[in-house]
Amino acid sequence: MKNKDIKIALIGNLNNNHFTMMRYLRDLGYDAYLLLYIEDGQGVNSHFVPENDTWDIDKWSNYIVQTKLNNGSFRAFKHLFFSNYVKVLLNSYDIIIGNGFAPAYSYFAKKRLNMFMPYMVGVEFLNLTKSNNIFQSFKYYIYRKVQTLGIKYFTDCVATYDTSEDNNSFLKKIDVHILNLPIPMIYSDSKPVDINLNKLKINRFIEEIKTCDLSVFSHVAHIWKNIPNNFFDVKKNNILIEGFAKYVKTKKSNNYTAKLFLVDYGPDVLSSKDLIKKLHIEAYVTWLPKMSRKEIMLLLEYVSLGCSELGGLLWGGIGWEFLSKGVPFFHYLEISKNNFPNSPNPSFLNVKTIDEIANHLHNYEINPDKYKKIGESSNEWFNKYNGVGLVEKYMCYLNNSIRD
């Protein structure tokens, strides 16, 4: 069977991960389609739409399908118990890859889910805990039950790169096959050659970054003080802010321009701004509006250092963005764990404390070339172990599994 004869469905698009994979698959000649949940691109997910991830949406729009499927809201159950729509939708595909509520849909439609690629730590809908509200507790129980049935009996494998106990404890109980590969998060989409930076809203920030000797950029959502229920404390934005404050108060030269660039995004933005004010570093911090990934990828061409999450778990899209653009970045990861089972560890600045961040910033001031080499190494790693090469590994596994 030739690639062009294999029809692939990718269900769900949080963080644009399946839009990324769909484009790589089409580059490889597969007949791949992105199937959107109703919630994709809506509400808190409005930031993650294909239009925000490419400068050439017309090239891909014919392969994007808006479905009637809900990603876990109670309205989803009309499709679970009256599953004709799901059966008709999925039966035309040879390979089905999904995230979110896809396992539950597969169970009720009696259609194999060839690969489940969870996007949430602890696996979406399996990590829901009891509530004081009886109705809510019952609803959580139903979610966990149908999702578990779908994974256990109708899912061939679960692809995840996060081998932490927090992430895999539920999966181990189900005893499903786990494929240790990262999710392809970044598509190397070329920007139009005739793009006019002066017309982009981010251009003034690019110009400000250019004036800095040291620019630290973090577009992590600010969630560090008031942690929502069922949400792991992984962001820890306050550590970056305090580490940067410690550095600027002791930097070697007053003529050396250093700035921290943060994105106005997340429920604890006001807490971050209060912390910045308390530390008296307002003059050293610039706040950017929430941006699309295609804009972020442009901006990353100019920053000195980045910062991902500092809570100990593997990074998400932000870390992959830094790696793909060759930006050395802060992130805390327990290296003793087998976080990169199919490759060597990539180069990044593994930090946990305020002092470690301040020390790196001092070292950058003294020897920026050292950090530029770290960025070059991370970019080489990304090109070798992510992107199209990674998608080829996925398809090697899936092609073998559907033949068995």
Side-chain angles (χ1 to χ4, degrees):
M1 197 180 236
K2 296 180 179 179
N3 289 4
K4 66 182 179 64
D5 298 323
I6 300 175
K7 193 173 182 181
I8 303 173
L10 297 114
I11 306 172
N13 192 43
L14 190 73
N15 293 328
N16 282 319
N17 54 345
H18 279 167
F19 180 49
T20 294
M21 195 162 180
M22 182 269 277
R23 287 177 283 174
Y24 279 126
L25 286 169
R26 288 210 154 263
D27 288 344
L28 292 170
Y30 292 97
D31 189 20
Y33 296 83
L34 172 64
L35 276 56
L36 299 176
Y37 289 119
I38 289 173
E39 290 84 358
D40 283 325
Q42 302 296 319
V44 295
N45 299 321
S46 61
H47 187 53
F48 301 111
V49 292
E51 291 84 350
N52 282 349
D53 206 42
T54 179
W55 296 100
D56 191 12
I57 188 62
D58 291 340
K59 180 179 179 180
W60 309 107
S61 57
N62 289 337
Y63 314 117
I64 301 172
V65 179
Q66 179 61 67
T67 75
K68 298 178 183 178
L69 300 179
N70 293 96
N71 186 20
S73 76
F74 228 53
R75 287 169 292 184
F77 286 85
K78 69 184 177 185
H79 294 305
L80 294 181
F81 295 106
F82 304 96
S83 53
N84 239 11
Y85 171 76
V86 186
K87 288 179 180 176
V88 172
L89 178 68
L90 299 184
N91 275 340
S92 63
Y93 295 96
D94 303 300
I95 293 176
I96 300 173
I97 301 166
N99 61 29
F101 217 41
Y105 284 123
S106 292
Y107 174 75
F108 278 87
K110 300 298 182 281
K111 177 73 175 178
R112 299 298 303 177
L113 181 64
N114 302 99
M115 184 176 288
F116 177 47
M117 301 175 74
Y119 53 72
M120 183 174 283
V121 175
V123 182
E124 49 267 33
F125 307 109
L126 293 186
N127 63 352
L128 294 175
T129 55
K130 292 181 180 179
S131 168
N132 293 329
N133 182 295
I134 295 176
F135 174 75
Q136 191 82 336
S137 291
F138 175 72
K139 188 166 73 169
Y140 286 171
Y141 170 79
I142 294 295
Y143 282 144
R144 291 196 305 271
K145 188 68 175 178
V146 295
Q147 189 79 332
T148 300
L149 289 170
I151 296 172
K152 188 169 185 176
Y153 296 110
F154 276 83
T155 300
D156 293 332
C157 79
V158 176
T160 177
Y161 214 32
D162 188 344
T163 57
S164 68
E165 184 64 22
D166 286 333
N167 193 51
N168 288 346
S169 58
F170 292 101
L171 295 175
K172 288 175 182 176
K173 292 176 185 176
I174 297 172
D175 194 29
V176 65
H177 175 64
I178 297 176
L179 184 66
N180 288 132
L181 286 176
I183 295 173
M185 295 291 287
I186 308 297
Y187 180 81
S188 301
D189 199 15
S190 57
K191 61 181 180 289
V193 292
D194 60 347
I195 189 169
N196 187 343
L197 284 176
N198 292 324
K199 292 185 178 180
L200 298 180
K201 65 181 181 181
I202 64 165
N203 187 51
R204 70 183 182 93
F205 300 110
I206 290 175
E207 292 301 317
E208 184 177 354
I209 289 169
K210 285 180 179 180
T211 66
C212 298
D213 296 305
L214 168 58
S215 54
V216 182
F217 177 67
S218 177
H219 47 309
V220 175
H222 290 258
I223 310 172
W224 59 272
K225 192 168 186 179
N226 303 293
I227 311 299
N229 291 335
N230 305 312
F231 195 95
F232 291 91
D233 183 13
V234 297
K235 309 296 186 185
K236 297 188 183 291
N237 318 73
N238 56 308
I239 295 176
L240 170 65
I241 293 169
E242 293 184 57
F244 184 82
K246 184 167 185 177
Y247 160 69
V248 296
K249 290 174 183 176
T250 56
K251 64 188 176 77
K252 306 289 182 184
S253 169
N254 290 329
N255 295 324
Y256 190 84
T257 307
K259 275 203 169 181
L260 175 62
F261 293 83
L262 301 173
V263 174
D264 197 341
Y265 176 45
D268 286 331
V269 163
L270 290 180
S271 296
S272 292
K273 290 181 178 180
D274 287 343
L275 178 60
I276 288 165
K277 186 175 182 180
K278 179 183 175 183
L279 295 169
H280 307 292
I281 58 168
E282 298 102 312
Y284 296 92
V285 180
T286 295
W287 286 91
L288 286 74
K290 193 162 67 171
M291 296 171 289
S292 65
R293 174 174 282 168
K294 64 185 181 184
E295 292 173 314
I296 289 169
M297 296 295 276
L298 266 183
L299 187 144
L300 289 182
E301 295 179 9
Y302 303 93
V303 302
S304 309
L305 300 172
C307 185
S308 178
E309 300 170 349
L310 302 172
L313 299 181
L314 186 66
W315 51 73
I318 287 173
W320 296 116
E321 288 164 1
F322 287 136
L323 286 169
S324 72
K325 298 301 288 186
V327 177
F329 67 102
F330 298 123
H331 185 93
Y332 175 56
L333 194 59
E334 294 182 32
I335 290 295
S336 59
K337 295 183 178 179
N338 191 22
N339 291 294
F340 305 96
N342 297 303
S343 73
N345 294 338
S347 298
F348 68 101
L349 308 175
N350 196 12
V351 298
K352 185 179 182 181
T353 67
I354 294 166
D355 286 342
E356 287 173 323
I357 288 175
N359 288 338
H360 273 296
L361 296 176
H362 279 298
N363 289 336
Y364 185 96
E365 184 178 346
I366 297 167
N367 186 6
D369 287 341
K370 170 186 173 182
Y371 290 87
K372 289 173 184 175
K373 288 178 181 176
I374 291 173
E376 290 169 2
S377 175
S378 68
N379 177 252
E380 289 171 5
W381 185 95
F382 179 85
N383 290 334
K384 187 171 183 178
Y385 297 105
N386 210 285
V388 68
L390 173 62
V391 176
E392 286 176 328
K393 288 182 181 178
Y394 271 111
M395 291 314 301
C396 181
Y397 173 86
L398 286 167
N399 284 328
N400 287 334
S401 66
I402 61 175
R403 289 192 200 104
D404 292 342

